[in-house]
Amino acid sequence: MSGSKSYTSTVSQPHNEHEHGQGPFLTSRENLAALQNWWWPYKQMLREPVAEFAGTMLLTIFGLGVNCQAVLSSNTDVSSSLKGDWTTVTLGWGAGIALGAWVSGGISGGHINPAVTLAMATWRKFPWKKVPAYVLAQLMGALVGAAIVYANYFHAIDVFEGGTGIRTLKTAGIFSTFAADYMTNISAFFSEFLATAILVLVILAATDRGNAPTPPGLLPLTLFITFIGIAASLGMDTGFALNPARDLGPRLLTSMVGYGKAVYTFRHQYWIWCPIIAPFLGAQFGALFYDTFLYNEDDGVFNKL
């Protein structure tokens, strides 16, 4: 989940130049422009943000999709048997973060989380000028992912809610996070802070050349294991948002489809301070801890003279 990767292009020279009507193919980076069409420069400009969009969209589709199956299938009018439980929820979200990172990692770094992007800008020299585009792309990816899941399950939601168009907090929790009734506000904040700090701590360790970095292409597997561990161990209290875009994007979707203001007024604007502010601060703390005590590279904030 570091910065974006460079690309290489290798095109072999054809045996018969005249078959192509333009002589040998150009293979050097300096002459690559001769092989580009009108879309190429626009694609390069959009490539990283769109990778973040696609990765976050996949994360949201798999995560919210498994939420829908686990919750909605508990109603016998929706399904004759239960189609999910906490185990499938953890696996679905783990698959979502792994696949999202695989799709976007080699292009944009695979942040798919505004808290991770901000931590990388603060502690790993990720360009600050890219942060707004990344965060917007992540938010829009989560919103579109939630819309896709809603389109797939809205009939089942109607049945679960007891009528067409009825929308309450009973199913709003499928899309965005709400703390359990027994949780105090401070405890809910701490839960999200802690889980996000652990997530970023593992990301930094897995990408640290001086520690035990994962082989190329296998960081998504590390994220899969990490996310399953967090969800299975720490997720029950608040629904493990860990990601401001993953919560706010779907919450915006619920506003558009009839859930009303209750998704925002719950627990005195819970949506701001728990699933948004807590992950941002938790990510910063996780990075601060790692760089203070474990990170030994020259670019570390605490390793400079």
Side-chain angles (χ1 to χ4, degrees), residues 247-278:
D247 188 88
L248 181 57
R251 201 176 294 267
L252 292 172
L253 184 277
T254 58
S255 301
M256 300 174 186
V257 296
Y259 282 88
K261 65 181 182 180
V263 296
Y264 300 107
T265 58
F266 175 81
R267 284 203 182 190
H268 308 292
Q269 313 304 318
Y270 173 92
W271 68 278
I272 296 178
W273 53 264
C274 195
I276 295 180
I277 295 177

Side-chain angles (χ1 to χ4, degrees), residues 36-68:
Q36 298 166 3
N37 60 23
W38 66 271
W39 176 242
W40 177 267
Y42 298 102
K43 180 167 71 173
Q44 303 319 300
M45 181 174 59
L46 296 171
R47 195 166 178 249
E48 291 181 350
V50 172
E52 287 295 310
F53 172 91
T56 312
M57 182 179 67
L58 282 177
L59 165 67
T60 308
I61 289 173
F62 279 88
L64 300 187
V66 75
N67 284 357
C68 283

